[in-house]
């Protein structure tokens, strides 16, 4: 059947259409993506403002039309941290349902981490052993660890690249004191969770998902996305540590000129790099591998599992 996943994230609204059936690898058929930046459309009280709600509804209508055009049989709509943490989340969800008919399922941070872990486990297989999975979104950082398809530990921290940029790095280029303050904040937050994972022992394989990690790997020398999903891409902590001060000294425009960095994500790249560097350092990770599958694929795989067991 043709499935669609409609992901309302902190940075983008992304419709991913795949051809799938239980027991088979889902094959991408279409991608429709709009950078909405919901996390940056919040009012002072943390609510999604009227303009943000109107823009969200317009983007969802376009995505629904794209899903219809592509023959989507089953649509799986969900939202992550920007909607989850909005002060008026219930009102926004009701308005979206009323205006578009879409019933957005709001995933918890732990659910995000577990579904992303499932996608990584299916991509790398059982031979990868104990997996540590890192995922930096616009609003949150997800960390999960385990040897099975369900992780032994999974946490979500409010350390998304968009959130941190808006709250901590107003300058362009950012003030060095602001960068240092954000670095301290990031490491304090991550350090609180390390013990929860370390009691399970060292991972056999560390992987990362998300646009932020892909862009950091690309500027550090990894293959282009155009080279295909199956090319191995890795990020070494040594390379990342060398890039962080360079990114801190650049304007957003200068970052956008780096290989693989989009203009829309260039502003957030430094905050994302500080989170990635902090996580790799505090978890003792020297290198990690980029996983092409992430949360959206995890949602699809879970749906296929349910279909297969029905």
């Amino acid at each position: 059947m043709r499935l669609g996943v409609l992901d309302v994230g902190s940075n983008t609204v992304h419709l991913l259409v795949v051809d799938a059936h239980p027991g088979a690898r889902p094959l991408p058929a279409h991608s429709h993506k709009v950078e909405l930046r919901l996390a940056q459309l919040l009012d002072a009280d943390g609510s999604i403002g009227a303009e943000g709600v109107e823009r969200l509804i317009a983007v969802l209508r376009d995505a629904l039309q794209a899903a219809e055009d592509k023959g989507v049989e089953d649509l799986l709509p969900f939202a992550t941290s920007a909607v989850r943490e909005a002060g008026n989340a219930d009102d926004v969800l009701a308005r979206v349902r009323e205006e578009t008919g879409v019933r957005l399922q709001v995933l918890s941070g732990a659910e995000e981490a577990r579904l992303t872990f499932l996608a990584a486990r299916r991509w790398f297989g059982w031979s990868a052993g104990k997996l540590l999975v890192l995922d930096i979104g616009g609003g949150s950082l997800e960390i999960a660890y385990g040897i099975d398809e369900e992780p032994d530990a999974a946490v979500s921290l409010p350390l998304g690249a968009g959130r941190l940029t808006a709250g901590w790095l107003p300058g362009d280029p950012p003030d060095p004191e602001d960068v240092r303050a954000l670095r301290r904040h990031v490491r304090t937050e991550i350090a609180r969770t390390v013990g929860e994972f370390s009691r399970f022992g060292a991972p056999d394989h560390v992987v990362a998902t998300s646009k932020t990690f892909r862009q950091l790997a690309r500027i550090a020398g990894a293959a282009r996305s155009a080279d295909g999903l199956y090319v191995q891409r890795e990020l070494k902590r040594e390379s990342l540590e060398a890039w962080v001060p360079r990114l801190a000294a650049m304007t957003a425009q200068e970052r956008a000129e780096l290989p693989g960095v989009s203009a829309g994500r260039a502003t957030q790249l430094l905050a994302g790099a500080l989170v990635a560097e902090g996580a790799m350092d505090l978890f003792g990770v020297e290198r990690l591998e980029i996983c092409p599958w992430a949360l959206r694929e995890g949602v699809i795989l879970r749906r296929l599992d349910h279909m297969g067991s029905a």
Side-chain angles (χ1 to χ4, degrees):
M1 68 188 302
R2 180 155 279 195
L3 289 175
V5 173
L6 184 53
D7 174 3
V8 179
S10 299
N11 282 318
T12 61
V13 175
H14 189 171
L15 169 70
L16 176 64
V17 178
V18 300
D19 291 320
H21 64 270
R25 177 172 55 93
L27 298 173
H30 179 69
S31 178
H32 174 90
K33 187 187 303 184
V34 176
E35 288 200 349
L36 182 59
R37 309 286 182 92
L38 264 186
Q40 297 178 24
L41 295 173
L42 301 180
D43 291 339
D45 64 354
S47 297
I48 299 175
E51 178 192 356
V53 175
E54 292 297 333
R55 287 172 60 183
L56 173 59
I57 288 170
V59 168
L60 287 176
R61 283 177 173 148
D62 289 343
L64 289 173
Q65 185 61 57
E68 180 183 319
D69 291 345
K70 296 302 177 183
V72 168
E73 182 178 345
D74 190 6
L75 185 67
L76 311 173
F78 67 89
T80 55
S81 64
V83 173
R84 179 172 69 234
E85 297 168 14
N88 60 339
D90 290 341
D91 293 338
V92 171
L93 293 170
R95 178 83 188 283
V96 165
R97 187 166 60 247
E98 177 185 334
E99 296 279 346
T100 69
V102 172
R103 294 178 177 269
L104 285 174
Q105 178 190 3
V106 180
L107 299 179
S108 70
E111 286 175 319
E112 280 192 63
R114 287 195 294 267
L115 288 165
T116 302
F117 184 88
L118 172 63
R121 169 59 73 197
R122 293 281 178 90
W123 182 269
F124 288 105
W126 300 113
S127 63
K130 292 178 286 188
L131 280 182
L132 176 65
V133 179
L134 307 173
D135 177 53
I136 302 172
S140 57
L141 162 69
E142 274 70 51
I143 308 169
Y145 173 100
I147 196 166
D148 296 314
E149 291 197 338
E150 184 69 23
D152 295 311
V155 300
S156 178
L157 302 175
L159 297 177
R163 177 202 297 266
L164 295 179
T165 301
W168 293 79
L169 300 177
D172 186 28
D175 185 285
E177 284 301 319
D178 290 339
V179 175
R180 277 192 285 273
L182 176 55
R183 184 180 186 275
R184 285 193 297 271
H185 170 70
V186 163
R187 286 169 178 258
T188 299
E189 289 290 312
I190 295 173
R192 290 176 180 150
T193 73
V194 170
E196 185 174 341
F197 293 86
S198 60
R199 62 194 178 95
F200 294 106
D204 298 310
H205 198 47
V206 183
V207 303
T209 71
S210 76
K211 189 71 169 286
T212 294
F213 271 113
R214 289 199 302 273
Q215 291 185 339
L216 291 171
R218 178 74 184 99
I219 66 174
R224 305 169 303 159
S225 58
D227 293 334
L229 288 180
Y230 301 102
V231 176
Q232 185 179 27
R233 296 171 175 87
E234 69 174 29
L235 176 62
K236 295 180 179 178
R237 190 168 94 205
E238 180 183 21
S239 299
L240 181 58
E241 288 173 343
W243 267 102
V244 166
R246 296 172 64 182
L247 293 172
M250 293 178 177
T251 64
Q253 177 59 47
E254 288 169 334
R255 289 184 215 127
E257 295 169 3
L258 295 171
V261 178
S262 64
R265 297 295 184 107
T267 305
Q268 316 180 0
L269 191 60
L270 172 60
L274 289 169
V275 174
E277 180 192 39
M280 292 182 75
D281 188 7
L282 289 164
F283 280 95
V285 176
E286 295 300 327
R287 60 173 291 277
L288 54 77
E289 188 172 352
I290 305 300
C291 178
W293 281 2
L295 176 59
R296 284 180 289 276
E297 288 78 11
V299 170
I300 291 167
L301 292 166
R302 180 62 51 80
R303 177 75 175 96
L304 292 174
D305 288 348
H306 288 163
M307 286 170 56
S309 61

